[in-house]
Amino acid sequence: MSGGDSSPRRRRAEASSHALGTPGVVRRPSVPTALLVGLGAAGVAASFTAPVAAAGFTATLATLAGTVLVAGLLNHLLVSGRELPPAVTESVYTAFASAAENVVAERGLSEHRVYIPASGRSSARLVVPATSADPLQRDWEANDAVGPDDAVFTPTGEPLYRSFRRTRTPADATDPERTLSRLGDALDNGFELVDGVAVTAEDGEAAVSFEACVLPDADRIDHPVPSFLAVGFAREFGRPVVVDSVRSNTDSSGAVELRW
């Protein structure tokens, strides 16, 4: 699919650099959203207090708080069907990504990004392993699968997938390409985060390309586009999925490579 030069999402992607001057639509947040944003804001504030900073938890707490803030913002704006200034979501996601990247760098973690479905496929986690060993060789169902040196985050794609599930039932999880195509269609025609998606999948690997991504820097940690694809695949198939690479181009197009 391709929206061409007249695509609304292409125009939104191109306008993101000056969107701060464009007023958005503001509505009263739901109670869950208010709680998410409130907890996130409290966590960010607490991360800069002397006792917490002295205990060495500043980066981790700020990252977790950022995850909550991003989840709240996505829940309130992206899944509401309302227009929003791209720069608003971009600035919040950038803050979260910076904090998460700082944690990964400070702790010397690997470059792997593996999305793990919880028991019963009720949710998913993003794990950044401490070691560079292939994460798919690890028994993620074991009680001690996640070690104390690994970093665990709530994916930004989790609230998006929950919204997706409210309107679409899971497909028969036997065709990875069809599953990713459904998820890509939701990114395009549902959440309107991208303008077009193309999927190829074979032998435990897939490539998902997209155009006119509204949020830039898709190659940063847990960007909502690759995060939603990975969370959705992990939850519908009930197996870990690794985001091997993400390409982000200057024209707002890009591609995600997944492995399971």
Side-chain angles (χ1 to χ4, degrees), residues 14-219:
E14 292 172 350
S16 62
S17 62
H18 58 268
L20 281 174
T22 303
V25 176
V26 179
R27 65 187 182 93
R28 184 180 298 276
S30 65
V31 172
T33 297
L35 288 174
L36 285 172
V37 175
L39 288 172
V44 170
S47 69
F48 293 100
T49 62
V52 173
F57 297 133
T58 302
T60 300
L61 182 57
T63 300
L64 295 177
T67 300
V68 174
L69 275 171
V70 171
L73 185 70
L74 289 172
N75 186 62
H76 177 54
L77 295 174
L78 292 180
V79 304
S80 69
R82 299 297 189 96
E83 288 291 327
L84 71 155
V88 173
T89 302
E90 177 185 344
S91 63
V92 175
Y93 167 70
T94 297
F96 157 70
S98 297
E101 289 163 354
N102 286 339
V103 169
V104 171
E106 290 174 3
R107 295 173 58 179
L109 304 179
S110 72
E111 296 183 355
H112 294 306
R113 308 288 181 261
V114 54
Y115 291 78
I116 310 298
S119 177
R121 307 183 191 178
S122 60
S123 63
R125 298 176 295 172
L126 165 59
V127 179
V128 181
T131 68
S132 59
D134 186 351
L136 294 183
Q137 300 302 314
R138 188 186 299 193
D139 181 8
W140 291 104
E141 295 184 358
N143 292 332
D144 58 349
V146 179
D149 295 328
D150 301 329
V152 182
F153 304 95
T154 298
T156 61
E158 179 66 28
L160 294 177
Y161 182 73
R162 290 175 185 167
S163 177
F164 171 79
R165 281 290 304 275
R166 283 196 290 268
T167 58
R168 303 191 192 186
T169 57
D172 181 18
T174 58
D175 188 339
E177 186 166 324
R178 181 165 180 258
T179 296
L180 287 170
S181 293
R182 291 175 73 246
L183 295 170
D185 181 68
L187 286 173
D188 184 349
N189 298 309
F191 301 119
E192 299 188 349
L193 285 174
V194 297
D195 191 43
V197 175
V199 178
T200 58
E202 185 177 9
D203 298 331
E205 298 181 354
V208 182
S209 61
F210 55 86
E211 299 176 3
C213 185
V214 173
L215 300 177
D217 302 323
D219 54 347

